[in-house]
Amino acid sequence: RGATSDLVPYDASAATLRSALEGMATVGDVAVDRDTSPNEFGAAAHASYLVTFLGNAGNLPLLGVESGLWTGATAKWSEVRDGSSAAIGGNITVAFMGEATPLLDAETLTADELEAALENLSTITDVEVSKFSLMDNDVVFAVTFVEPYGDVELLVVDDVLLQGTSASVAVTEDKKGNALGGAFYIYNASAASDALPFDASASEVEDAIMSLGSWLDDADLTVTRTAKTTVGGHTWSITFPQVLGDVTLLQVNAAGLAGVGSTANVQEIHKGKVVAVQTLRTKASSPLSGSFVVEFNGQETVFLPYNASAAEVETALEDLSTVHDVTVTRRSTDEDSSRLVTGRLSASFPWIKSYLDVPLNQYEWSVTFDGHNGPQPLMSMCCGAADVFTGAQTLYAESSQDASFEVASVVEGTGLPLDGNFRVVIDDVESDSIPTHATADHFRRRLRFSRSLTSQDGVVDGKHWGKLGKAINVTKQDVDKGVNGAARWTVELPDWLSGGGEQLGRSESRNVTVNASGLTGTDAWATVESSGDWSEREVHRITGSAVTLGEVACTIDMSDGNGAITGATFADNANGSVATEAFNDSPLRYTAGRVEVVDGTTDGGLPYWDVTFLDYAGTLPNLLSCSSTSSSVSVASEATSTSSRLSGDFTLTFQGEETGALSGTASTTTDVENALELLSAIDDVTVTANGTTLNGGQRWRITFNGADVEGNVPSLVASSDALSGTNPYATVREVTPGNEPNGFFKLALSWYPDSASSRQVKREVEGTSATRVGQQSADGRNPDDLPRGWVTEKTYDIPASATEAEMEAALEYLSFVDDVTVTRSTTTAGTGAGFAWTVTFEPFSNGRVNDNAGNMEQMMVHDIGNLGGVGANVTVKTTTEGTEPIIGDFRIFFRGYRYTYDDLLHDCSAEEMHDMFMKHFPSLPRPFTVDREGPRPNGGYTWLITLPLGESTFGDPFVVDRSQLTPSPAEMTSSIQRPGTFHINGTFTLSFKDDLGGNDWETTEPIRWDATAEDLRDAMMALDFIQNVSTSVRSPAAFNGAKSWDVTFTGLRNSGDVPMMRTNSNL
């Protein structure tokens, strides 16, 4: 029947023969007896065996024999008795819990057929059936109960219709089922739920959790339940709303569960966090207009309109590099503001309420920091009435100078940003720990010492790590703008690190994973994604024809018209490392690239060397050609390359502008030069050829010559998206940076440290001159030649490329400098690029006059010799002279009352001025208010005195004595900004002309200034000339009582274009 046993010894025991026969797939169980009785001549006979087939039914074919005995010796089989048994056939039925299947064919029944028949029973939902075949149609079916589960009844088989010799069916239990039952309950530190059935639904579990305390009231829980396990268990996933933050882990009591090994546990999948929420609000007591900016974490948004939508604010914030993802909502706060002001004033001025119904255009924006972990710095807004005198105000109130902002933290965020460390696992060997803030170079150095890339003797796949470790290229990119510390590193492994076996260049990739157990932070995780193609490299095998070869020499013809290229010469006892070095030091390296050689010995003891071409993509045009000084050598292809050579196009981008497509293999220097000079930011470059690469690529050297590209220009960016081949790329490397100043310099500033005002002393010495020698500033002054008593201070070293912040810090290091603002710009003056800094000495900070206010001495430059770069220099010039701030005292006169007791300081508060007016000006109408605005850039202030509505000074001015203010003459004036307004009162009348041809007029009775619509209608309807009108109030009374009404003539007599009414005012 097609099966053959293993070899059997001529004198095998019965057990040995039995084992050999039962090892044949078509034999089955047998019984073997061995007979060694003497033959008929009394001589010892070789063994004979009696084989009885126990597992094969019927009359079987005779066993065959293939004899390997000595010459003349034979082995043969003969049949002692025919078999008379019959194989299994007929039908069976299978029953479960009293319900039976239809008849099933015992001879052909499959596992799928039995499974389907059982699942058609109403008592069975889901079973899994497997079939194992034996001899003579004997089979075993394994039935696993999925549903119902637990310790179920045995199946019952009816074999009445089963055929075959001694045919029978037996059902045995292989493994008892186990079913979960009973109940459990959930609890926390303060409460416990009612008992829950072991298979509780998701809603039942949700209700149980909600019963654990009021802290869950109105909480939007999400509960899901998995499908049951084979024992009836479930897993419930509970997601708490974000507002609850990190919820304390729930507990479960499983004592009431039934079933062998029944248990329950709770596991935290993700730690909860609360995101920070802040509000931005605009405020004023009159309608707002204009715009504002929002500052967050050192960056400002674009200007936003006073009524910016939620989407506009959200977009502006997410455009900042310090903001990842926020959600913004907006609501009007007009009603809140109106109620506040009305509540304060309605007791004395009930008529003001209607005026306050005018929309104030005030809003509140709620900002939710969805993409940020932990508490966030408080935002700020700018610029309202507080900035009026700095010229920065952009948000205005229509009739009041009180446009302002309010920023509040509503919810402090919880959660932690990413921190800690992780390890890269390469082929099950971990790298050193890598911190989450690791730079690309730090990451690369940690991989360089990964033992999975380095054997114990310090070599990498036969190559010293120190030579090839630098070939690992790592780049780093921030994730989600880096706001939570997340980052992504891209690691490029060279092909010689890709192989997983002894031979280099194989297409098998390394197994790379990450161990993130050292990470901290909310929902911290790390993962690895692989990209790129692992390619097999071409391998040539050099085999000697004898053990002794002498010296082996190899060449290769690259079919490029240059003939054979010398490859390597090495001794017949050279190992792989020596042969590798010989190849890589030969001219072959420049045409076929680097190789790696592994030496070995054939089964016949002959030496061979496998040469793997590491750098060459595609198939080499010819095999190596090798010879030896003593015997012949042969070369054969051991492995064919699966990589492909370079083709396709690339582009170059400069300052955001991209060239057209350039061929990666065929672009000339003129092609590249023309493509670059078509860009608007490049006026002149020179492109020269810089050789070709092994796989068809090219190199170009680009020199920036034009006036538009002087100095150290930004790097070109190459795009390889349209290139093809195995892992193609285009890259740009800076060979020589453009000329740019470098090194350090210092700045010096002189001042007079006298107890008197230094600003006053400085005015006294203006115009002083002296002979200047030595190092000078831009205007020729020598810092060592100053009037007696003056002090010169120097900054510390300032980098030639100092940032705005660095320059500000260096200048504010000087004791006389309190506050400066620096802006930096790029300049291309002279022979190279440099920087220009504009320094503004701020006269005021936090409402006080700074020491550096006024007309400062011009700065001087020190240690200019520490600058590097062709023609490097620093010059200083004054672009705007400072203005001396106003200081001193002043006095005010009003209606003959002279304030003579205490002078008012130049920066007196609004409260101080109010108190003086109350004490010395009894004729000034009360109650009045005083508000102060400022300071202005020159130190001046404005005080606004607001009289009660309807009151006035009737043209009487305030007179100011400014003789004690400096610098002299300091200007100080008073003016009436807005005359007082009296509230409307009294009556008026309306006169109406008859429209029927006459010239008669009728006049109403007097009508009050604040008449209702009904009052007005009643007065008009009393006229004979008016048949019918309807009236309504067009606009409610303003702050001064002004009011308007609409009158519609609805009577037939007054149809058409009626004459205009006349008014007569007694208001």
Side-chain angles (χ1 to χ4, degrees):
R1 290 185 172 179
T4 303
S5 73
D6 294 334
L7 290 173
V8 182
Y10 75 96
D11 58 350
S13 66
T16 299
L17 180 58
R18 178 187 173 190
S19 177
L21 290 172
E22 290 182 347
M24 300 167 64
T26 57
V27 171
D29 292 341
V30 294
V32 178
D33 293 315
R34 181 172 185 264
D35 182 13
T36 56
S37 57
N39 61 16
E40 55 189 299
F41 302 105
H46 291 299
S48 64
Y49 304 88
L50 181 66
V51 179
T52 303
F53 290 85
L54 304 176
N56 261 312
N59 190 20
L60 302 177
L62 192 64
L63 285 168
V65 64
E66 294 179 1
S67 176
L69 298 174
W70 294 328
T71 302
T74 61
K76 66 177 180 178
W77 292 102
S78 60
E79 187 176 60
V80 176
R81 183 178 66 236
D82 287 340
S84 61
S85 61
I88 289 177
N91 300 290
I92 61 171
T93 61
V94 183
F96 181 72
M97 297 180 67
E99 187 178 1
T101 67
L103 289 174
L104 303 172
D105 190 322
E107 182 178 358
T108 62
L109 182 63
T110 65
D112 290 342
E113 289 171 340
L114 179 56
E115 185 173 309
L118 291 173
E119 290 179 351
N120 280 332
L121 302 179
S122 63
T123 52
I124 294 178
T125 302
D126 186 13
V127 292
E128 295 174 355
V129 179
S130 302
K131 179 181 178 180
F132 304 92
S133 297
L134 305 176
M135 307 300 297
D136 297 321
N137 297 335
D138 288 9
V139 294
V140 174
F141 290 95
V143 181
T144 302
F145 284 83
V146 179
E147 177 72 26
Y149 52 88
D151 192 15
V152 300
E153 296 181 6
L154 282 178
L155 293 169
V156 177
V157 179
D158 184 348
D159 58 359
V160 172
L161 300 178
L162 187 65
Q163 299 174 355
T165 302
S166 302
S168 65
V169 177
V171 178
T172 59
E173 186 175 58
D174 183 58
K175 181 179 180 181
K176 279 188 173 294
N178 184 26
L180 190 64
F184 66 101
Y185 65 87
I186 302 169
Y187 67 96
N188 60 14
S190 58
S193 72
D194 293 335
L196 289 163
F198 73 95
D199 58 349
S201 66
S203 61
E204 288 175 320
V205 172
E206 181 175 342
D207 291 342
I209 296 173
M210 293 292 289
S211 70
L212 297 181
S214 59
W215 61 280
L216 287 170
D217 288 351
D218 301 322
D220 186 16
L221 289 183
T222 300
V223 180
T224 59
R225 189 186 77 169
T226 62
K228 69 178 67 175
T229 64
T230 56
V231 296
H234 293 279
T235 297
W236 294 267
S237 296
I238 299 104
T239 303
F240 292 91
Q242 192 175 62
V243 69
L244 294 180
D246 191 14
V247 176
T248 303
L249 194 66
L250 296 174
Q251 301 297 319
V252 61
N253 187 317
L257 290 177
V260 178
S262 60
T263 186
N265 61 77
V266 181
Q267 178 184 0
E268 185 176 59
I269 304 301
H270 294 294
K271 294 189 74 66
K273 70 172 183 178
V274 175
V275 294
V277 180
Q278 297 180 17
T279 56
L280 308 168
R281 186 170 182 173
T282 54
K283 301 170 64 179
S285 57
S286 60
L288 285 172
S289 62
S291 59
F292 63 91
V293 296
V294 181
E295 184 274 338
F296 179 75
N297 217 4
Q299 293 190 3
E300 286 186 350
T301 65
V302 297
F303 277 97
L304 293 160
Y306 70 93
N307 60 346
S309 66
E312 288 175 317
V313 176
E314 186 171 314
T315 299
L317 286 172
E318 290 182 349
D319 282 343
L320 303 181
S321 65
T322 54
V323 176
H324 165 41
D325 181 26
V326 294
T327 299
V328 178
T329 59
R330 188 193 79 167
R331 72 179 183 94
S332 171
T333 59
D334 280 359
E335 185 176 354
D336 299 344
S337 301
S338 296
R339 286 176 177 172
L340 175 63
V341 179
T342 302
R344 288 178 177 174
L345 302 179
S346 60
S348 302
F349 304 97
W351 42 265
I352 203 170
K353 184 180 187 307
S354 59
Y355 173 66
L356 292 173
D357 287 339
V358 176
L360 298 179
N361 303 330
Q362 299 179 92
Y363 297 94
E364 180 182 88
W365 295 266
S366 178
V367 182
T368 303
F369 290 84
D370 300 307
H372 298 242
N373 287 343
Q376 300 302 311
L378 194 65
M379 295 181 288
S380 62
M381 304 174 73
C382 191
C383 301
D387 300 284
V388 61
F389 294 115
T390 65
Q393 183 176 6
T394 57
L395 188 70
Y396 304 93
E398 182 179 298
S399 56
S400 58
Q401 188 56 267
D402 60 352
S404 62
F405 307 98
E406 182 180 285
V407 181
S409 176
V410 179
V411 178
E412 285 289 337
T414 63
L416 297 172
L418 186 67
D419 204 353
N421 56 73
F422 59 96
R423 297 173 184 267
V424 176
V425 184
I426 304 179
D427 293 341
D428 298 325
V429 180
E430 290 189 345
S431 70
D432 292 340
S433 63
I434 302 171
T436 57
H437 59 269
T439 64
D441 186 61
H442 190 177
F443 195 111
R444 182 181 63 83
R445 284 187 284 112
R446 291 301 175 99
L447 285 185
R448 281 186 62 189
F449 297 102
S450 174
R451 298 174 70 182
S452 65
L453 302 180
T454 311
S455 65
Q456 293 182 356
D457 60 357
V459 298
V460 181
D461 291 335
K463 194 71 174 180
H464 191 271
W465 177 254
K467 295 182 179 179
L468 298 182
K470 294 181 180 179
I472 293 180
N473 183 41
V474 180
T475 56
K476 180 182 180 182
Q477 307 86 33
D478 285 335
V479 175
D480 299 338
K481 301 182 181 179
V483 296
N484 294 320
R488 176 183 294 112
W489 293 266
T490 301
V491 181
E492 296 180 45
L493 296 176
D495 286 323
W496 47 264
L497 289 179
S498 67
E502 295 180 357
Q503 180 175 294
L504 292 174
R506 297 174 64 98
S507 59
E508 180 183 356
S509 63
R510 292 184 178 270
N511 180 31
V512 184
T513 58
V514 63
N515 179 353
S517 60
L519 291 179
T520 62
T522 304
D523 293 343
W525 57 272
T527 188
V528 174
E529 297 177 1
S530 297
S531 62
D533 300 322
W534 304 97
S535 57
E536 187 169 341
R537 292 310 194 210
E538 186 164 346
V539 181
H540 295 182
R541 172 167 288 190
I542 305 168
T543 306
S545 60
V547 175
T548 302
L549 299 172
E551 192 173 68
V552 178
C554 297
T555 61
I556 191 169
D557 188 346
M558 299 299 294
S559 297
D560 56 2
N562 294 321
I565 304 298
T566 300
T569 300
F570 53 92
D572 57 8
N573 62 349
N575 61 24
S577 297
V578 172
T580 296
E581 188 171 351
F583 271 101
N584 289 336
D585 288 341
S586 73
L588 180 141
R589 173 167 185 159
Y590 303 103
T591 55
R594 295 172 303 123
V595 303
E596 186 73 30
V597 181
V598 177
D599 63 287
T601 304
T602 67
D603 292 340
L606 299 177
Y608 72 82
W609 295 266
D610 281 343
V611 182
T612 301
F613 292 85
L614 303 177
D615 298 330
Y616 196 86
T619 302
L620 287 162
N622 294 292
L623 290 174
L624 287 168
S625 176
C626 300
S627 60
S628 70
T629 56
S630 297
S631 299
S632 63
V633 293
S634 61
V635 179
S637 176
E638 188 69 13
T640 303
S641 174
T642 59
S643 61
S644 57
R645 296 175 67 78
L646 183 69
S647 62
D649 301 323
F650 70 101
T651 61
L652 295 171
T653 298
F654 184 75
Q655 294 187 351
E657 193 175 1
E658 190 175 27
T659 67
L662 293 163
S663 171
T665 58
S667 290
T668 65
T669 57
T670 303
D671 294 335
V672 178
E673 189 170 308
N674 290 341
L676 289 171
E677 290 179 353
L678 284 174
L679 303 181
S680 60
I682 297 178
D683 55 345
D684 185 22
V685 293
T686 299
V687 180
T688 56
N690 196 32
T692 59
T693 66
L694 294 173
N695 300 312
Q698 295 177 276
R699 295 190 186 94
W700 301 269
R701 182 182 292 266
I702 301 167
T703 304
F704 291 84
N705 305 316
D708 293 343
V709 285
E710 290 182 335
N712 197 20
V713 299
S715 178
L716 291 165
V717 178
S719 171
S720 56
D721 292 344
L723 289 175
S724 56
T726 300
N727 300 330
Y729 67 92
T731 187
V732 176
R733 180 174 63 90
E734 185 179 64
V735 178
T736 304
N739 181 39
E740 186 176 44
N742 56 75
F744 301 89
F745 65 96
K746 289 186 176 74
L747 292 174
L749 191 63
S750 298
W751 60 290
Y752 191 82
D754 192 78
S755 58
S757 168
S758 60
R759 290 179 288 277
Q760 295 176 356
V761 174
K762 185 165 61 178
R763 284 199 297 276
E764 295 173 4
V765 299
E766 284 179 354
T768 301
S769 62
T771 302
R772 275 116 167 102
V773 294
Q775 189 175 17
Q776 297 181 340
S777 66
D779 62 353
R781 292 182 301 156
N782 188 315
D784 299 321
D785 191 3
L786 289 164
R788 184 176 299 171
W790 283 67
V791 174
T792 298
E793 284 189 301
K794 301 177 185 178
T795 66
Y796 48 76
D797 285 340
I798 302 173
S801 59
T803 63
E804 295 171 349
E806 289 172 334
M807 182 63 76
E808 287 179 4
L811 289 170
E812 291 174 359
Y813 171 79
L814 304 178
S815 61
F816 186 59
V817 178
D818 292 324
D819 188 13
V820 294
T821 300
V822 177
T823 57
R824 190 184 81 165
S825 58
T826 303
T827 176
T828 54
T831 59
F835 297 98
W837 298 269
T838 300
V839 181
T840 302
F841 290 87
E842 301 293 347
F844 305 97
S845 297
N846 302 320
R848 70 175 185 84
V849 180
N850 291 326
D851 286 341
N852 54 245
N855 193 20
M856 303 289 296
E857 285 291 310
Q858 182 167 288
M859 291 186 294
M860 297 163 283
V861 182
H862 271 248
D863 297 344
I864 201 170
N866 291 332
L867 286 174
V870 179
N873 190 26
V874 178
T875 60
V876 179
K877 67 177 181 179
T878 300
T879 58
T880 303
E881 293 288 350
T883 302
E884 295 298 327
I886 294 174
I887 58 174
D889 307 327
F890 65 95
R891 297 176 180 179
I892 297 177
F893 302 84
F894 179 67
R895 289 180 180 174
Y897 296 97
R898 180 170 180 176
Y899 171 52
T900 59
Y901 294 92
D902 293 323
D903 294 338
L904 287 168
L905 291 174
H906 69 282
D907 59 352
C908 72
S909 67
E911 291 76 13
E912 290 171 334
M913 183 172 285
H914 183 277
D915 292 345
M916 289 300 180
F917 282 11
M918 289 292 293
K919 182 176 181 181
H920 296 287
F921 299 153
S923 64
L924 191 65
R926 285 154 168 75
F928 61 88
T929 62
V930 180
D931 296 294
R932 189 185 76 166
E933 299 174 350
R936 294 188 179 90
N938 64 352
Y941 290 86
T942 295
W943 292 266
L944 300 175
I945 295 91
T946 304
L947 302 183
L949 193 64
E951 298 290 347
S952 173
T953 62
F954 299 100
D956 292 338
F958 292 100
V959 179
V960 180
D961 176 6
R962 54 183 171 81
S963 60
Q964 298 183 65
L965 292 175
T966 59
S968 181
E971 293 294 329
M972 188 168 184
T973 62
S974 70
S975 62
I976 297 176
Q977 184 171 349
R978 185 174 66 208
T981 301
F982 293 92
H983 198 280
I984 294 173
N985 212 324
T987 63
F988 64 95
T989 61
L990 297 175
S991 296
F992 188 77
K993 181 182 178 182
D994 187 6
D995 196 30
L996 299 179
N999 195 29
D1000 297 329
W1001 290 80
E1002 279 189 305
T1003 301
T1004 66
E1005 294 295 324
I1007 304 169
R1008 279 178 54 86
W1009 61 275
D1010 59 348
T1012 65
E1014 291 75 16
D1015 294 338
L1016 184 63
R1017 182 179 185 278
D1018 291 343
M1020 295 183 68
M1021 289 297 293
L1023 302 181
D1024 294 334
F1025 292 165
I1026 294 178
Q1027 181 181 7
N1028 197 12
V1029 294
S1030 64
T1031 58
S1032 61
V1033 175
R1034 181 183 184 89
S1035 62
F1039 71 96
N1040 62 349
K1043 191 172 183 178
S1044 60
W1045 299 263
D1046 280 335
V1047 179
T1048 304
F1049 293 87
T1050 59
L1052 186 60
R1053 177 174 179 175
N1054 307 117
S1055 60
D1057 188 13
V1058 300
M1060 181 67 73
M1061 290 186 291
R1062 296 175 180 173
T1063 61
N1064 181 30
S1065 174
N1066 290 315
L1067 297 172

